[in-house]
Amino acid sequence: MNDGKFPGSLPNRRQVLQQAGAGFGSLALAALLVDQAPATPLADNPLTTRSPHFKARAKRVIFLFMPGGPSQVDTFDPKPRLTQDHGKPSPKLYLGQKRNLLASPWKFQKRGESGLEVSELFPHVGSRVDDLCVIRSMVADDVNHPGGCLQMNTGERVATRPSLGAWVTYGLGTENQNLPGFVAIGPGPLIEGARQYGAAFLPTSFQGTFVSDLKNPIRNLRNGQVGMDRQRRELDALRRLNELHREERDEDSRLSARINSFELAYRMQLQAPETFDLTKESAATQQRFGIDRKETEVFGRQCLLARRLVERGVRFVQLYHTTGGFQPWDQHSNLKGGHAANARATDLPIAALLQDLKAGGLLEETLVIWGGEFGRTPAAEGADGRDHHPYGFSMWLAGGGVRGGMAYGATDEFGWDAVEKPVHVHDLHATTLHLLGLDHEKLTYRHTGRDYRLTDVYGNVVKAILA
């Protein structure tokens, strides 16, 4: 019944709650919405820069993700006993099967002043070893790629959860309002797709902006029909219409994200073309990143884009090495050929990225992470491959408040299990947030009646690797 309080139309739910029963229904709704709201005011500008919980060591992150699972005993975890017992039956069963031990076909060498041993697969990254903290005792929970990739990227193996990059931009916003806060770059398909860089139940603005075409990174960025002034007037009108639409409805992060995405797209026209234009770099720089070589061109472009993005204040950059497939490091056979090709494609660009970051004074405030979803077995699969192995593998960190030139933790003498100072994926995530000045137990978001966090109810900061 329309009694004149809502002339010309039936009342909506919010109006009923405001007018009926002296407005007590509206008060109850407000209390519920407060309970469900994020800890920081995000609606107006979700990517605005926010203060960390405590003094940060790092301001930004570059995650170099190697899908498929690089083998720890062939990269950063030398095992003389494995070489000595090559071809013998493994003392450990794997998935109930007896397999023969497989020595690494590559030699390890002590590099840098620290003397940290690195496989000859990575001669260029090895030259930067004094900046690396190699964690040799990583542990994950899933032996399969989908769950392993999701856990490494989101902390959860099955359910859809916000990605690490989404949590970081939710907690800190970004330093440059003319570019996305979180950019994910990968030329090939991803296993589990956008779930690896998505925002899940966090406001949609925090999901990664995915770039797959490295020569035309952001399509339709320029409006060839109207000028910037006309676009500004159109966006102002569209924003007002969207806000009128939103006023009559409960808060919907998808609508807020859509409104903000239009504004971000407009601002990106000012800076994104220059940011993604690698021709702005000198020929010597492009050569240093390997853009002039077929085998390193793609990942070289990714690494150079990552450097340009963090230089301009992007908070989180994720690089997926997906050239030639969505899990190129998955060598169930032809270990020697597959790992060698992957290392050739990534070694030089990664070393150039570390070199440029350090030379530009950015490495000390940029955390660089390298690794896959798990490692590989010390025993052979078939004649010349290795199977999945999440119970003891290697990753490395550099810059961003991490001690360089050190190895942390250890696997057993064959490289099967983490036996000293194991570091679970949840611990890696907790440490990453800590370096950014975020307490992983306090960075929460209320959803479906409970507070969620990246590390769920787990995770410890690995304080021994902090500089």
Side-chain angles (χ1 to χ4, degrees):
M1 179 179 176
N2 191 337
D3 60 2
K5 293 181 180 178
F6 313 104
S9 65
L10 290 174
N12 61 38
R13 289 172 296 173
R14 187 166 295 185
Q15 290 170 325
V16 169
L17 289 170
Q18 289 172 342
Q19 298 292 335
F24 286 110
S26 181
L27 291 174
L29 174 63
L32 288 172
L33 292 178
V34 167
D35 184 56
Q36 296 175 6
T40 54
L42 303 174
D44 291 337
N45 185 3
L47 295 178
T48 189
T49 303
R50 289 181 287 282
S51 300
H53 297 140
F54 46 82
K55 186 177 180 180
R57 299 166 184 257
K59 292 183 179 179
R60 58 195 72 89
V61 176
I62 299 174
F63 192 170
L64 309 169
F65 190 58
M66 307 288 120
S71 167
Q72 69 280 3
V73 297
D74 297 301
T75 55
F76 296 99
D77 193 7
K79 293 298 174 185
R81 180 67 186 274
L82 184 62
T83 301
Q84 176 185 327
D85 290 357
H86 171 70
K88 294 181 180 180
S90 170
K92 179 181 177 68
L93 296 177
Y94 185 75
L95 301 179
Q97 298 176 348
K98 198 82 168 179
R99 297 182 179 179
N100 293 333
L101 296 170
L102 178 65
S104 176
W106 296 282
K107 295 179 181 179
F108 282 74
Q109 181 181 352
K110 292 183 178 181
R111 304 293 303 273
E113 295 183 3
S114 61
L116 197 62
E117 290 184 273
V118 179
S119 165
E120 61 183 336
L121 271 175
F122 294 104
H124 299 286
V125 170
S127 70
R128 313 299 309 178
V129 74
D130 289 334
D131 294 321
L132 306 187
C133 172
V134 179
I135 302 177
R136 291 176 172 166
S137 54
M138 285 298 305
V139 177
D141 298 317
D142 207 305
V143 298
N144 295 310
H145 297 292
C149 286
L150 284 180
Q151 185 174 53
M152 186 59 70
N153 284 279
T154 74
E156 166 59 49
R157 299 162 55 191
V158 179
T160 299
R161 294 285 188 268
S163 60
L164 172 60
W167 278 111
V168 169
T169 49
Y170 163 67
L172 296 174
T174 189
E175 296 177 301
N176 189 333
Q177 301 303 307
N178 295 331
L179 292 170
F182 174 18
V183 178
I185 307 174
L190 302 179
I191 194 165
E192 296 296 321
R195 295 175 72 190
Q196 288 202 45
Y197 57 86
F201 49 72
L202 287 179
T204 315
S205 297
F206 301 115
Q207 68 185 11
T209 296
F210 188 68
V211 173
S212 60
D213 185 346
L214 299 179
K215 294 184 179 180
N216 184 24
I218 301 180
R219 299 175 183 176
N220 305 315
L221 187 60
R222 288 290 186 189
N223 188 332
Q225 305 301 315
V226 298
M228 294 288 285
D229 291 343
R230 172 71 178 274
Q231 286 185 64
R232 181 68 269 167
R233 291 195 300 271
E234 290 179 351
L235 283 174
D236 288 342
L238 182 60
R239 182 181 184 90
R240 181 55 184 154
L241 290 171
N242 282 327
E243 288 175 346
L244 290 171
H245 180 74
R246 184 169 60 180
E247 285 174 3
E248 297 181 351
R249 289 159 177 81
D250 295 341
E251 171 61 18
D252 185 338
S253 72
R254 294 170 297 179
L255 178 57
S256 296
R258 179 65 60 86
I259 295 171
N260 286 303
S261 70
F262 288 134
E263 292 294 330
L264 177 59
Y266 176 80
R267 297 194 304 272
M268 283 175 62
Q269 293 181 62
L270 303 175
Q271 190 166 358
E274 184 275 335
T275 300
F276 286 94
D277 185 0
L278 299 187
T279 64
K280 301 290 185 181
E281 298 288 344
S282 68
T285 297
Q286 294 186 51
Q287 184 178 24
R288 190 168 63 253
F289 277 81
I291 294 175
D292 62 331
R293 308 181 195 181
K294 182 178 180 180
E295 67 269 22
T296 53
E297 177 190 4
V298 175
F299 206 72
R301 287 181 179 277
Q302 291 178 253
C303 286
L304 187 49
L305 278 174
R307 194 212 74 197
R308 291 176 65 84
L309 287 166
V310 298
E311 280 177 338
R312 289 156 176 78
V314 173
R315 183 72 68 184
F316 198 102
V317 180
Q318 179 124 8
L319 304 186
Y320 295 94
H321 174 227
T322 50
T323 307
F326 58 83
Q327 48 195 47
W329 291 85
D330 192 28
Q331 268 74 69
H332 291 276
S333 61
N334 190 26
L335 171 74
K336 189 172 183 179
H339 265 44
N342 293 325
R344 282 195 303 271
T346 60
D347 176 46
L348 178 67
I350 292 172
L353 173 63
L354 294 174
Q355 177 184 342
D356 274 22
L357 289 174
K358 191 161 188 175
L362 284 171
L363 185 60
E364 63 184 29
E365 56 186 26
T366 303
L367 176 65
V368 182
I369 306 171
W370 178 95
E373 65 269 37
F374 41 55
R376 309 204 76 82
T377 58
E381 181 180 15
D384 59 353
R386 298 192 192 277
D387 210 338
H388 308 167
H389 189 63
Y391 309 117
F393 61 101
S394 297
M395 298 182 70
W396 59 254
L397 287 71
V402 170
R403 292 173 59 191
M406 70 171 292
Y408 181 84
T411 53
D412 61 53
E413 59 185 345
F414 297 105
W416 278 110
D417 297 318
V419 294
E420 293 181 18
K421 304 172 183 174
V423 177
H424 192 275
V425 173
H426 295 309
D427 302 325
L428 175 68
H429 288 165
T431 305
T432 299
L433 295 181
H434 179 84
L435 289 165
L436 291 162
L438 296 170
D439 185 332
H440 73 106
E441 294 183 349
K442 294 181 179 178
L443 184 66
T444 62
Y445 188 87
R446 181 158 287 268
H447 174 66
T448 61
R450 60 161 283 197
D451 289 332
Y452 284 84
R453 69 187 207 212
L454 171 63
T455 53
D456 196 26
V457 295
Y458 308 101
N460 295 292
V461 176
V462 186
K463 295 182 179 179
I465 70 172
L466 306 183

